[in-house]
């Protein structure tokens, strides 16, 4: 699936699970200083599709056969999910997060989730604009468990 920006730039974003062949890229961008064995352990945890007793799934964001970031899905309850995007620094501002999130939310909807929620730092203008472009609306402001001022956005899937 291509979005408008993807068509303009002639690229296609896909999502797939991480695997052992991704270890070099993961060492460069996510797990700097970790051993292959430590990364394999994390990949094994991700394969369980669960975090703290709830559904969780990690996907590599792929553009032209290269990992440009990742998205993580996390279940809040039977019908609410959140998706956390991370596009690696050198690949930002190219529309990859937008397309990856569209695909991730479509995937979540296909799994039966009805509502998406997103916690965005109130000073992260790029993420605020991204979520608003995706159709999210601001629900409330709060201080999260890390002491950061954040906005909570919601969207019907």
């Amino acid at each position: 699936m291509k979005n408008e920006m993807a068509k303009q730039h002639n690229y296609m974003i896909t999502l797939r699970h991480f695997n052992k062949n991704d270890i070099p890229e993961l060492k460069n961008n996510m797990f700097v200083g970790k051993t292959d064995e430590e990364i394999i352990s994390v990949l094994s945890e991700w394969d369980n599709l669960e975090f703290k007793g709830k559904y969780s799934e990690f996907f590599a964001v792929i553009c032209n056969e290269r990992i440009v970031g990742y998205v993580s899905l996390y279940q809040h309850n039977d019908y609410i999910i959140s998706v956390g995007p991370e596009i690696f620094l050198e690949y930002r501002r190219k529309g990859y997060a937008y397309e990856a999130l569209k695909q991730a939310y479509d995937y979540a909807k296909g799994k039966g989730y009805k509502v998406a929620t997103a916690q965005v730092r109130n000073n992260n203008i790029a993420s605020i604009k991204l979520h608003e472009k995706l159709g999210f609306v601001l629900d409330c402001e709060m201080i999260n468990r890390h002491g950061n001022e954040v906005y909570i956005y919601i969207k019907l899937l």
Side-chain angles (χ1 to χ4, degrees):
M1 177 181 337
K2 293 183 179 183
N3 67 19
E4 293 303 314
M5 186 172 281
K7 289 177 186 174
Q8 292 171 1
H9 291 94
N10 198 26
Y11 66 78
M12 184 169 19
I13 296 297
T14 58
L15 304 179
R16 68 160 171 79
H17 288 123
F18 285 96
N19 61 58
K20 291 179 183 177
N21 294 330
D22 299 325
I23 289 175
E25 192 70 33
L26 291 169
K27 279 185 169 183
N28 287 335
N29 289 296
M30 289 178 68
F31 300 113
V32 176
K34 298 285 186 189
T35 66
D36 287 8
E37 293 75 24
E38 289 171 315
I39 296 171
I40 289 169
S41 177
V42 170
L43 293 175
S44 178
E45 288 176 29
W46 289 350
D47 286 342
N48 291 330
L49 304 181
E50 182 180 299
F51 181 72
K52 295 185 179 180
K54 294 191 176 183
Y55 163 73
S56 176
E57 195 164 0
F58 270 81
F59 292 98
V61 177
I62 307 297
C63 180
N64 298 330
E65 300 181 29
R66 183 146 180 90
I67 299 172
V68 298
Y70 66 89
V71 293
S72 61
L73 283 69
Y74 180 72
Q75 172 190 39
H76 293 269
N77 61 37
D78 289 342
Y79 62 93
I80 299 175
I81 194 153
S82 61
V83 177
E86 179 68 28
I87 301 299
F88 302 143
L89 189 58
E90 66 186 283
Y91 301 109
R92 291 184 185 165
R93 303 195 52 80
K94 297 180 184 343
Y96 300 154
Y98 176 78
E99 181 61 26
L101 284 174
K102 278 186 15 180
Q103 290 182 35
Y105 290 122
D106 285 346
Y107 179 79
K109 183 178 182 179
K111 292 184 77 61
Y113 293 96
K114 307 289 185 213
V115 176
T117 183
Q119 183 180 122
V120 180
R121 281 189 173 184
N122 68 353
N123 63 354
N124 188 340
I125 303 304
S127 188
I128 290 167
K129 288 181 178 183
L130 172 63
H131 284 86
E132 289 174 352
K133 182 177 179 181
L134 286 161
F136 280 79
V137 294
L138 179 62
D139 181 48
C140 65
E141 299 177 42
M142 62 180 272
I143 307 291
N144 69 9
R145 62 187 169 107
H146 302 291
N148 299 313
E149 295 179 14
V150 296
Y151 294 138
I152 303 299
Y153 282 92
I154 59 172
K155 169 186 169 133
L156 289 176
L157 298 176

